[in-house]
Amino acid sequence: MRLRVYYEDTDCGDMVYHSNYLNYCERARSELFFQKGLLPHSNTHFFVVKECKANWIKSAKFADILDVKTELIEKKAASIIMKQDILKDEELIFSAEFKLVFLKNGKPSKIPSEIFEILEK
């Protein structure tokens, strides 16, 4: 997913505020569903972030164009691990792994195969 850094994303030094990298990753994960004409959640089932391991390598600045790459690296019955990299001009500036748990009616639940198909592409 490609995105532009807006003024609202930056701190007083024109650098992207650290928590916005996590927002960019969340947007990219949602976009996997939007590209299929689907929503990433419903009233009864959705993913929640259980763990996040993040590495801020370099800073992005106001008006930069960034690419968020998303890859499913592990899948279990009720959870997945996704690796997401953010690049600026093909250079890695942020990398994270997210463990996501699938909840149905508020409880961990088996992930439907059709959702795996969306996440694996």
Side-chain angles (χ1 to χ4, degrees):
M1 179 188 88
R2 182 163 274 198
L3 60 91
R4 180 180 301 278
V5 174
Y6 292 97
Y7 185 72
E8 66 192 25
D9 298 327
T10 62
D11 61 17
C12 59
D14 265 350
M15 302 292 201
V16 171
Y17 190 70
H18 72 280
S19 66
N20 284 327
Y21 294 92
L22 302 175
N23 294 339
Y24 298 155
C25 290
E26 179 74 32
R27 287 182 206 165
R29 290 193 306 271
S30 294
E31 196 62 37
L32 295 172
F33 290 87
F34 294 146
Q35 290 173 357
K36 300 288 185 189
L38 303 169
L39 294 175
H41 73 283
S42 77
N43 290 336
T44 60
H45 59 275
F46 49 87
F47 283 99
V48 293
V49 175
K50 184 177 188 316
E51 295 175 13
C52 175
K53 297 176 189 174
N55 184 15
W56 287 261
I57 300 162
K58 288 190 171 184
S59 295
K61 299 177 186 172
F62 173 66
D64 283 347
I65 301 293
L66 305 177
D67 288 302
V68 184
K69 306 290 184 190
T70 303
E71 176 185 7
L72 178 64
I73 59 172
E74 183 179 304
K75 63 181 186 177
K76 294 186 178 178
S79 68
I80 58 173
I81 297 178
M82 300 200 83
K83 182 177 189 300
Q84 293 187 273
D85 293 330
I86 299 179
L87 298 98
K88 178 185 158 206
D89 300 325
E90 299 184 24
E91 180 181 7
L92 184 65
I93 64 169
F94 176 85
S95 185
E97 287 187 10
F98 296 89
K99 182 173 188 175
L100 305 168
V101 177
F102 188 73
L103 299 182
K104 188 170 185 178
N105 297 318
K107 296 181 182 178
S109 182
K110 184 176 179 181
I111 302 168
S113 60
E114 57 269 13
I115 291 181
F116 277 133
E117 289 175 17
I118 293 167
L119 299 174
E120 289 176 328
K121 295 184 178 184

